[in-house]
Short mmCIF file of all heavy atoms in Angstrom, two decimals:
data_model
loop_
_atom_site.label_atom_id
_atom_site.label_comp_id
_atom_site.label_asym_id
_atom_site.label_seq_id
_atom_site.Cartn_x
_atom_site.Cartn_y
_atom_site.Cartn_z
N LYS Z 40 1.71 12.29 -9.58
CA LYS Z 40 0.51 13.13 -9.52
C LYS Z 40 0.50 14.19 -10.61
O LYS Z 40 -0.48 14.33 -11.35
CB LYS Z 40 0.42 13.79 -8.15
CG LYS Z 40 -0.82 14.67 -7.95
CD LYS Z 40 -0.85 15.20 -6.53
CE LYS Z 40 -2.12 16.03 -6.28
NZ LYS Z 40 -2.09 17.29 -7.05
N ARG Z 48 -5.57 16.25 -18.51
CA ARG Z 48 -5.95 17.47 -19.22
C ARG Z 48 -5.78 17.31 -20.72
O ARG Z 48 -6.60 17.77 -21.51
CB ARG Z 48 -5.11 18.65 -18.73
CG ARG Z 48 -5.47 19.13 -17.33
CD ARG Z 48 -4.83 20.48 -17.05
NE ARG Z 48 -3.36 20.38 -17.10
CZ ARG Z 48 -2.60 20.10 -16.05
NH1 ARG Z 48 -3.15 19.86 -14.87
NH2 ARG Z 48 -1.28 20.04 -16.18
N THR Z 69 -2.79 -2.99 -8.74
CA THR Z 69 -4.15 -3.16 -8.25
C THR Z 69 -4.48 -2.12 -7.19
O THR Z 69 -5.56 -1.49 -7.22
CB THR Z 69 -4.34 -4.57 -7.67
OG1 THR Z 69 -4.09 -5.55 -8.69
CG2 THR Z 69 -5.75 -4.75 -7.14
N PRO Z 167 -2.13 -26.16 -27.35
CA PRO Z 167 -2.20 -24.73 -27.01
C PRO Z 167 -2.79 -24.52 -25.62
O PRO Z 167 -3.48 -25.38 -25.09
CB PRO Z 167 -3.12 -24.19 -28.09
CG PRO Z 167 -4.01 -25.34 -28.44
CD PRO Z 167 -3.14 -26.56 -28.35
N GLU Z 176 -11.33 -18.88 -4.15
CA GLU Z 176 -10.96 -19.83 -3.10
C GLU Z 176 -9.79 -20.71 -3.51
O GLU Z 176 -9.08 -21.24 -2.65
CB GLU Z 176 -12.16 -20.70 -2.73
CG GLU Z 176 -13.27 -19.97 -1.99
CD GLU Z 176 -14.01 -18.96 -2.86
OE1 GLU Z 176 -14.07 -19.16 -4.10
OE2 GLU Z 176 -14.53 -17.98 -2.30
#
Side-chain angles (χ1 to χ4, degrees):
K40 181 176 183 292
R48 288 193 298 270
T69 300
E176 290 69 28

